Amino acid sequence: MKLEVFCGTGGVGKTSLSCSRAQFLSGQGHQVLLMTIDPAKRLKQLLNLKEKDAGYVVQLDKNLSVLLMSTDVTLKRICGNFKNHILETLSDPYGGLNEILSVVELTEQIKNKDYDYVILDTPPGKHFLDFLEALQKIESFFDSSFIEMFQYFGNKRPKFFDRLFSSGLKKLLSYLEKVTGEGFVDDFVNAISILYQNREKFLEALSFNSLVQNSHITTWYLVTACDQSKSSEAMILQSKTERYFKNPGILIINKCQGPIVKSWTKKQRDLLRPFNQAALNREQELIENAEKSFKTTLLFPELLSSLAEGQMSEMIHCWSKNK
Amino acid sequence: MKRLFLVTGKGGVGKTLFSLALSTYLKDQKDDVCYVNFQNEILPNDLKKLEIKTISFDILESTETYIAKKLNSSIVAHWIMKTPFFNSLLQILPGLQHLITLGHIIDHLEHNPELIMVLDSPATGHALTMLKACSQFKKIFKFGPLVKDIERIEKFLATRNQLQIFILALPQELPLAEARDLEEEIHKIGKWKTKIILNQSLSDSLQELTELPEYFNKKLALEKKILKEFPELPRLNFITTDSTSKLVKELATQVRALV
């Protein structure tokens, strides 16, 4: 199995790129699973997905299966039916568990069926590397705090305060109770024990880390776009990539105009300079920065098909050229 | 009177520059206005020329201050913040962070009745998490002192005309479809005033140019299709300058029609 992970900020075209990649690979005859997280309605329509499909694998055609990630369904599958407000908040698509739940779900799916390719469209983050950092966050969360708490619990619903006698944790919770009121601490202890009882599933998912570090299996795509004006992106790109990419990933620069502009007459170029110079400069800057940190950079042109369907087939065509 | 402007939309549609333009416009109207970047992003140096008042909220600081106030002890608050457990809790409940920041912002607005704040908000999904935070955490905290504070935030946001949400989009099919989805979702959370704005519209400035390459002709045709379908949506014209501060100033003159 090969795993391809698409990371990047919102709005760079991550979902379109991963969808088209999955369609391209399945078109080549490979068995492909595409896991996508909260795409816009328009893209759901494009993939023929309905709201109720969220959380379950849908076979789109002979070669292509799609899983529209639902943190809610995944959490219920792991922990059973619970009634707990804190866990409900956590299973919000943008709650803090979305990354770990995607990883848990993926681990489960890979176990169930043998795919040639699994394409993962990561949850939208603040910047490029949120998903990569999330894996570390998960590890530290389960290591430092959960383990600290779990040590106090047996397998049954804990008599919490009895067990926490004289520990710092008890002091912490009693302070929290003063701020939050009683109900919260009860719910909280309940949430922790639900997660604790199902800890194997979470800890199993941490094996994902070794999977993604294996360069024979995993390819990282970092997606950026020329129309994003945030200069911080380029800086992060340069400073952090080496830390995360033991195997250098592939950078995709999306929405490029450079190749299009080349075919224009000088007069046209002069005429339109005010409208596209900024984007072209950014494009150039991204390409130059990329050379320092990435072995491979793929350029995807800005697509101007009138309909999303047309854009998708243009993108699939780009993948075949970029091979 | 509008006290809080919230600017959201898909990534890359120009939320930050629009928020700054809105702040500039309000400042020129002699309003006491303050720009807040919700994600604490560092803005280009060039923007200092605009002399816009900003406040940055450090989430950890805001939380510590809040807990100290509630417990009447900054030492205990400091200790709580230092525990790895509480730290991870804060990390894993982004809604809680949003709620604390939002509470802090509203503190400022209530403290100073002349103040107007422009909130450069997170993109689509994260904005929904922020807006949902009130009702979600009310469920979590049930009663107790925190709920009173949440209700204070809710009351402020629900007071007629105090909150205006701007959803920025580009005049293209997918970005606009996403903005409309977002508007629908926002209305499910609260009865707030929202307005979709089409940013970087090219049609006025390109109209007169002849011999356009196919690329721009296509782009123009796509935009015209959108404008025909949604003629009621206000739009902002594409600005041709390479200086960010100049761009914001020009955009500010276009904002007039929206506020």
Side-chain angles (χ1 to χ4, degrees):
Chain A
M1 186 206 70
K2 301 256 186 237
L3 174 65
E4 301 193 343
V5 188
F6 286 76
C7 297
T9 27
V12 291
K14 207 169 30 181
T15 304
S16 306
L17 279 161
S18 50
C19 285
S20 58
R21 177 72 181 162
Q23 288 184 333
F24 166 70
L25 288 169
S26 63
Q28 303 269 302
H30 301 290
Q31 277 295 319
V32 180
L33 173 68
L34 167 68
M35 243 181 94
T36 179
I37 292 129
D38 200 37
K41 247 193 228 154
R42 191 71 186 81
L43 273 169
K44 269 182 229 165
Q45 286 169 1
L46 211 63
L47 288 170
N48 228 339
L49 289 172
K50 310 200 171 49
E51 280 309 322
K52 67 169 175 50
D53 294 332
Y56 307 96
V57 174
V58 180
Q59 183 105 28
L60 283 189
D61 60 43
K62 191 163 79 35
N63 294 332
L64 180 60
S65 305
V66 181
L67 172 65
L68 181 60
M69 184 63 198
S70 156
T71 41
D72 185 43
V73 173
T74 301
L75 195 61
K76 290 235 157 77
R77 195 172 52 67
I78 301 168
C79 298
N81 263 321
F82 52 79
K83 249 200 116 36
N84 184 292
H85 292 309
I86 295 176
L87 289 184
E88 275 161 30
T89 308
L90 279 176
S91 59
D92 182 274
Y94 293 86
L97 279 184
N98 54 7
E99 279 107 354
I100 174 112
L101 288 172
S102 315
V103 171
V104 170
E105 186 63 52
L106 185 68
T107 313
E108 179 75 17
Q109 294 305 335
I110 296 174
K111 232 170 38 188
N112 285 348
K113 193 179 163 189
D114 202 13
Y115 294 100
D116 298 327
Y117 283 92
V118 174
I119 312 290
L120 177 65
D121 170 23
T122 61
K126 253 192 311 205
H127 56 70
F128 273 137
L129 303 163
D130 273 6
F131 188 76
L132 299 174
E133 286 177 346
L135 289 171
Q136 296 186 331
K137 247 194 246 171
I138 290 161
E139 218 163 6
S140 76
F141 186 79
F142 276 84
D143 275 359
S144 60
S145 44
F146 265 67
I147 304 300
E148 177 188 342
M149 300 212 81
F150 290 165
Q151 282 166 355
Y152 297 103
F153 296 157
N155 276 325
K156 287 172 222 140
R157 170 87 208 272
K159 280 187 183 163
F160 195 70
F161 285 102
D162 298 349
R163 287 176 183 273
L164 292 185
F165 219 74
S166 82
S167 77
L169 206 56
K170 185 193 167 189
K171 216 160 65 186
L172 172 67
L173 286 173
S174 70
Y175 282 132
L176 271 184
E177 193 165 28
K178 275 193 203 148
V179 181
T180 62
E182 255 176 63
F184 173 77
V185 172
D186 280 351
D187 265 0
F188 182 72
V189 170
N190 185 249
I192 295 291
S193 68
I194 291 173
L195 291 179
Y196 177 68
Q197 281 160 31
N198 301 290
R199 63 194 176 284
E200 260 84 43
K201 290 259 174 53
F202 287 99
L203 294 173
E204 190 184 24
L206 286 180
S207 65
F208 183 76
N209 241 342
S210 61
L211 195 68
V212 298
Q213 294 296 345
N214 185 337
S215 59
H216 297 295
I217 295 176
T218 303
T219 307
W220 291 99
Y221 289 95
L222 223 58
V223 185
T224 181
C226 302
D227 64 348
Q228 301 266 328
S229 55
K230 298 264 159 67
S231 52
S232 53
E233 292 292 274
M235 277 153 54
I236 294 165
L237 187 70
Q238 224 179 342
S239 68
K240 284 200 176 168
T241 35
E242 279 165 27
R243 225 175 91 203
Y244 289 102
F245 289 93
K246 295 201 180 70
N247 45 327
I250 294 174
L251 182 75
I252 294 181
I253 304 178
N254 197 14
K255 306 182 194 178
C256 292
Q257 286 187 31
I260 304 169
V261 173
K262 272 192 195 134
S263 67
W264 297 355
T265 63
K266 187 178 176 301
K267 198 179 155 203
Q268 284 173 324
R269 267 183 259 172
D270 291 343
L271 193 66
L272 292 162
R273 187 159 290 134
F275 297 95
N276 63 8
Q277 193 57 48
L280 286 172
N281 288 346
R282 254 186 325 260
E283 189 173 323
Q284 203 49 47
E285 203 184 323
L286 278 169
I287 292 171
E288 278 163 20
N289 270 321
E291 280 169 2
K292 293 177 203 151
S293 322
F294 292 87
K295 248 189 201 153
T296 313
T297 307
L298 300 180
L299 303 183
F300 278 76
E302 190 178 359
L303 298 177
L304 290 172
S305 288
S306 58
L307 291 167
E309 285 84 349
Q311 292 195 6
M312 196 53 74
S313 62
E314 273 188 62
M315 245 180 202
I316 294 171
H317 181 66
C318 288
W319 280 114
S320 70
K321 276 199 307 194
N322 267 324
K323 208 161 56 173
Chain B
M1 186 178 99
K2 297 265 190 304
R3 301 289 313 282
L4 181 60
F5 291 93
L6 213 145
V7 181
T8 182
K10 188 178 156 76
V13 293
K15 290 185 287 293
T16 297
L17 294 180
F18 175 79
S19 304
L20 288 164
L22 179 60
S23 308
T24 305
Y25 168 75
L26 293 168
K27 195 186 83 169
D28 292 346
Q29 301 295 301
K30 305 277 178 259
D31 281 322
D32 183 8
V33 61
C34 183
Y35 164 89
V36 182
N37 186 308
F38 208 83
Q39 326 223 40
N40 278 325
E41 285 158 334
I42 303 157
L43 301 175
N45 252 335
D46 174 40
L47 293 170
K48 290 205 179 104
K49 286 186 207 146
L50 298 168
E51 294 178 339
I52 296 169
K53 196 163 87 181
T54 64
I55 308 181
S56 70
F57 294 98
D58 179 74
I59 178 66
L60 295 176
E61 251 170 58
S62 291
T63 315
E64 192 169 327
T65 315
Y66 183 80
I67 295 176
K69 218 165 87 189
K70 287 286 150 188
L71 292 174
N72 235 336
S73 159
S74 52
I75 297 169
V76 176
H78 188 68
W79 175 76
I80 290 180
M81 296 298 295
K82 279 268 168 317
T83 58
F85 169 73
F86 191 78
N87 239 302
S88 338
L89 185 73
L90 212 56
Q91 291 273 1
I92 213 162
L93 285 173
L96 186 59
Q97 300 186 15
H98 292 336
L99 191 67
I100 291 166
T101 312
L102 209 55
H104 210 145
I105 286 168
I106 284 167
D107 272 350
H108 275 271
L109 289 168
E110 287 187 329
H111 189 73
N112 178 358
E114 296 297 314
L115 186 66
I116 298 176
M117 276 187 166
V118 176
L119 188 54
D120 183 0
S121 306
T124 317
H126 293 279
L128 287 173
T129 307
M130 177 179 81
L131 293 168
K132 264 193 231 161
C134 284
S135 64
Q136 248 169 352
F137 282 91
K138 230 164 101 178
K139 269 192 247 157
I140 287 182
F141 296 128
K142 290 171 194 157
F143 21 73
L146 272 184
V147 170
K148 278 210 185 93
D149 289 330
I150 295 175
E151 279 169 351
R152 195 171 53 89
I153 298 176
E154 279 184 321
K155 199 178 146 208
F156 186 94
L157 297 180
T159 303
R160 233 177 90 80
N161 280 332
Q162 283 200 136
L163 172 68
Q164 168 75 57
I165 301 175
F166 286 123
I167 304 170
L168 244 59
L170 300 176
Q172 290 161 23
E173 190 204 7
L174 277 175
L176 179 59
E178 226 182 285
R180 288 162 56 85
D181 288 353
L182 177 63
E183 187 172 47
E184 209 184 302
E185 290 298 318
I186 290 176
H187 287 158
K188 280 185 203 159
I189 304 171
K191 286 179 195 141
W192 296 310
K193 266 190 141 166
T194 54
K195 195 182 262 180
I196 295 180
I197 299 166
L198 299 175
N199 195 18
Q200 297 177 14
S201 160
L202 285 167
S203 49
D204 285 357
S205 16
L206 289 187
Q207 200 103 17
E208 286 133 41
L209 300 183
T210 48
E211 287 178 69
L212 284 177
E214 200 201 346
Y215 168 86
F216 270 102
N217 272 331
K218 266 192 180 172
K219 210 165 169 152
L220 211 53
L222 286 175
E223 186 178 317
K224 281 194 176 145
K225 206 176 135 224
I226 296 281
L227 299 183
K228 209 174 154 193
E229 202 177 336
F230 303 98
E232 74 286 358
L233 292 181
R235 62 197 160 98
L236 299 165
N237 286 324
F238 190 94
I239 293 165
T240 56
T241 166
D242 47 9
S243 141
T244 322
S245 59
K246 269 188 209 150
L247 192 151
V248 170
K249 278 187 190 154
E250 261 195 73
L251 200 56
T253 61
Q254 294 188 36
V255 164
R256 185 184 308 269
L258 299 170
V259 188

